Amino acid sequence: MKRIIFMLVFVLTVFCANAQNRHSSRSAVSADSHRKVRVADNNIKPRKQQSVLVASPEQVMLMVEQINKLPFAKDKVDFAVFCVKLLPVPAEGIVRLAAAMPFESDKLEFLKEAFRYCPDSYNYFIVEEAFSFKSSADELRRHIEKEYHFKYAY
């Protein structure tokens, strides 16, 4: 019997708390306009900074090993892009993945796509060391500036 009473009290407490939260965040209608205006709740706590799960150096090396096993260049690019989408890879890991690409055009294609998923895009300038030609690095910079409205500081 005590157990049932305890459960009822617990359920009612939770129900009342949820009902109170719903009423405190309701919208209010302003007098001068007929739009709904969200009432600010000063009791809202700031969100905790969420940490982003990124690939470790060991995971990057496993990705590189798998890329090296693939026979065709197009398959290597597709697999590397898949890996970057699946688990965000930091800029220095992206350099290692790009180094596994056999052709300059493949590196460029991969690096253009990988920028979107790079968790530390502010360090993306280091990927230019993966290129053999300066023209490829210039093309990557132009792509980033055009697509992401981002200008390099230098």
Side-chain angles (χ1 to χ4, degrees), residues 78-91:
D78 291 342
F79 183 76
V81 169
F82 170 74
C83 288
V84 170
K85 286 179 180 179
L86 187 65
L87 182 65
V89 178

Side-chain angles (χ1 to χ4, degrees), residues 35-54:
R35 295 181 310 147
K36 286 188 175 185
V37 180
R38 177 74 59 190
V39 176
D41 185 6
N42 293 333
N43 296 330
I44 296 176
K45 295 177 184 170
R47 285 187 174 171
K48 249 169 82 173
Q49 181 71 22
Q50 293 181 348
S51 60
V52 177
L53 180 66
V54 296

